[in-house]
Amino acid sequence: MKIKEVPRTANIAWSPAQQHPIYLAAGTAAQQLDASFSTSASLELFELDLSDASVDLPRKGGVISEQRFHRLVWTWHTNSDMAMGYIVAGADNGSLFLYNPVAILEDRGEEAMVLQVSKHSGPVHALDFNPFQRNLVASGASESEIFIWDLNNTASPMTPGSKTQPFDDVNCVSWNRQVQHILASTVAGKCVVWDLRKSDPIIKVNDSTSRMRARQVVWHPEVATQMCLASEDDHSPSVQLWDLRFATSPIRVLEGHTRGVLAIAPVYPTRAGLPAYGAPKSEAWNDPPAANRTRTRSTPLNTPMEPVMQPLAGLADAVPDASIHPQPYAPYNPYKPMEYRQPGAVQPTNLQPPPVHIQREEPPKPKERAPLPAEHQALQQVFDNLADRCVQATNNQQTRKKLDDVRKKLDILYDKLADRTLSDNVVLGLHQMIQAIQQYDYQTGLGIHAHMIATGNFSEISPFMPGIKTLLQTCIQMNVYCQM
């Protein structure tokens, strides 16, 4: 049911969830003309008031622009000078514009545009903010160009890696909602997933069994390895759900559109549905989908999947298994008697190799951990109790191996607690987590974990937080609870 409308040919962005009242930003769409054939451009703000019975959104402010826009994003910011966050717009000439919504609402046109940067060689079709660090924004343009911008220092943007071949327009970029260094992009009908720590793509997602041409990509808000791809091909208009742990084919295909799907977005407030938009009709699906034509992968959907234990690219502290490497040949020893003797030859009886004295170095003694402060000993007791009970409850070698990795990460946590190198917010979050665990409320514990990941310092908590998440998810799967 239509409740509001704006008579504009525009690309739009909603104000952040923290903002009240709710505003809609509308920037004149590039490469499109209305009935008046006007070539002017502007960025306008409209207020959403659901108590007003009128279908028109009242215009609250606007600013004239020299360029038209392909993409808008609006994000929150804690800076007092940017009380309503900021709007980033990708323009037709390859520029990025940063706008202050407060200045637009107050008709301070000369102060509305805070920043303009021009690095792309073609139109900017894709933008997305990092959900963990709001000063980071990814942009995609023509010729397979992708830049990662730090809005505090825009002089030298970084790239996620080498350009994808063949060169084409980047239609969409999307940050992973659980792992802050993972970015997905769509170019030439394929989806590429990048690991910014490696500056290299880690996987290319493409359905070779259909005419799927991926235009839009959206990450699952809670499952780090799952994403949705929308096909722009009119002959194969569909939305595919992929799990990167099984990236040979989609785990579900949603069909119902009659034309290519041009946009897709998750419903974050309720997590209940996934709206997708195509021409000429719009539809939405819940899980399971309401569409009556679905194609599923050969693996049943109810097959239990291993929980997401760590970031996609593997952790930097992973220890390689020496058993899989071939052992070197033993060095040649000239004093060792030969095994072959000619018939009739006299065997020497007094040949002895000269003594060889080898000075062996003493192996380094393991570093003794300082005792945990008394106020943190409950953390070790709860986590170790859960790990011990999980080991006792399973004979699966893969699960035991994961629990061994959990113990290594817990040891890192205990070392940091003993050395008192963790920030107060991290320590507080850990204590809140074990309080939820002791009350048998794992979902609250995982919620605290997710909040710490979203708000914490990545370099501070990344060595041990994946291990805690693995432990809690394993306890849920095995129905294990803390008993002390």
Side-chain angles (χ1 to χ4, degrees), residues 66-67 93 95-98 113-118 154:
E66 295 181 357
Q67 297 292 328
N93 67 341
S95 297
L96 263 65
F97 297 95
L98 183 68
M113 189 174 69
V114 180
L115 179 69
Q116 176 182 356
V117 289
S118 300
T154 58

Side-chain angles (χ1 to χ4, degrees), residues 92-140:
D92 202 27
N93 67 341
S95 297
L96 263 65
F97 297 95
L98 183 68
Y99 290 97
N100 183 354
V102 175
I104 296 177
L105 291 175
E106 296 177 354
D107 288 330
R108 292 184 281 126
E110 67 282 356
E111 302 175 18
M113 189 174 69
V114 180
L115 179 69
Q116 176 182 356
V117 289
S118 300
K119 290 284 187 180
H120 283 292
S121 58
V124 180
H125 295 281
L127 290 172
D128 193 29
F129 277 99
N130 189 301
F132 301 94
Q133 295 178 268
R134 293 292 179 173
N135 59 305
L136 297 183
V137 60
S139 62

